[in-house]
Amino acid sequence: MKRIILIMALAAFSSAFAQENKNKKTETTTTKTYVKDSKGVEVDTKEVTKSENQVIALNDESSDNTNFSTVMLPSEIDSNVNYTNNDREFSFQAQDKGYKMMAIKDNTSNEFATIRPSSQKGYYIYSENGENSFGYFNQNGNFVVERYDEDKDAIVTTVYKLEVQKQTMKKKNKMK
């Protein structure tokens, strides 16, 4: 019996110390919105999780040493957010010079628009069907696109609302 426990403990410890040459960074951002009314305070909580994986490459001549040289390879960023507008779902796909906005329908993605960073930090040039507008992310994480409509002689705003996978609502009753 003693040998079995010793072998199981040895197997557990040896698998726990196996190294994988990868950096992983996970970031969760929580946004809370408070709405106060006569019934109490309503709290709307949104959580967005973004993970970044980066593979570490070791130089061959230093792989047996304690102190060794590493080469950081490009990162891969995953985010669990999508955007909605008029009951349509959209996502952003990273490119070399900016992003592609993809329309999602029946689990397939089609290119919808091209988004490039402008010279002003935080603003983007949004190109859809040959028409150019500008966009930005507001304080709620929504992507807002503004364009000039010549017929109406007005600015038309389109908001792509941030949707997250995990969303909770709590209501606190202050009338006790």
Side-chain angles (χ1 to χ4, degrees):
M1 183 70 176
K2 212 180 221 185
R3 283 186 180 183
I4 294 173
I5 293 173
L6 184 62
I7 291 171
M8 289 176 61
L10 183 62
F13 281 113
S14 64
S15 64
F17 292 110
Q19 289 183 340
E20 184 178 347
N21 294 327
K22 187 183 276 190
N23 277 348
K24 183 171 184 179
K25 175 181 160 185
T26 303
E27 179 180 317
T28 302
T29 306
T30 304
T31 306
K32 290 186 178 183
T33 307
Y34 296 92
V35 177
K36 189 174 182 179
D37 59 8
S38 62
K39 296 178 184 176
V41 176
E42 186 174 320
V43 180
D44 182 19
T45 305
K46 291 182 182 180
E47 288 187 1
V48 177
T49 303
K50 184 171 90 171
S51 65
E52 182 176 346
N53 293 320
Q54 188 172 38
V55 178
I56 301 173
L58 300 177
N59 290 340
D60 289 334
E61 69 272 358
S62 63
S63 61
D64 294 331
N65 299 336
T66 303
N67 297 324
F68 49 83
S69 301
T70 60
V71 178
M72 300 301 241
L73 300 175
S75 298
E76 240 178 65
I77 298 175
D78 296 324
S79 183
N80 62 344
V81 297
N82 287 331
Y83 295 85
T84 58
N85 179 275
N86 293 334
D87 297 325
R88 292 180 66 191
E89 193 172 353
F90 299 91
S91 68
F92 284 51
Q93 185 178 37
Q95 292 186 312
D96 291 337
K97 297 180 182 178
Y99 300 94
K100 276 186 186 177
M101 183 181 260
M102 306 298 283
I104 303 170
K105 185 175 182 181
D106 299 328
N107 291 330
T108 58
S109 298
N110 297 316
E111 187 174 343
F112 183 74
T114 304
I115 300 170
R116 300 285 187 251
S118 72
S119 60
Q120 295 296 315
K121 186 174 181 169
Y123 289 93
Y124 299 88
I125 298 171
Y126 173 91
S127 181
E128 176 190 352
N129 297 329
E131 298 287 325
N132 292 324
S133 308
F134 75 93
Y136 57 91
F137 291 94
N138 66 10
Q139 67 272 12
N140 297 324
N142 301 328
F143 187 65
V144 180
V145 177
E146 294 183 359
R147 66 176 176 84
Y148 175 71
D149 187 349
E150 201 171 314
D151 297 334
K152 296 178 184 178
D153 192 30
I155 302 295
V156 177
T157 303
T158 305
V159 179
Y160 295 93
K161 192 169 185 181
L162 176 66
E163 296 293 324
V164 292
Q165 289 181 354
K166 184 178 179 184
Q167 187 171 9
T168 58
M169 289 186 71
K170 297 177 185 174
K171 196 150 195 172
K172 189 176 184 182
N173 191 357
K174 293 181 107 179
M175 303 301 273
K176 290 183 180 182

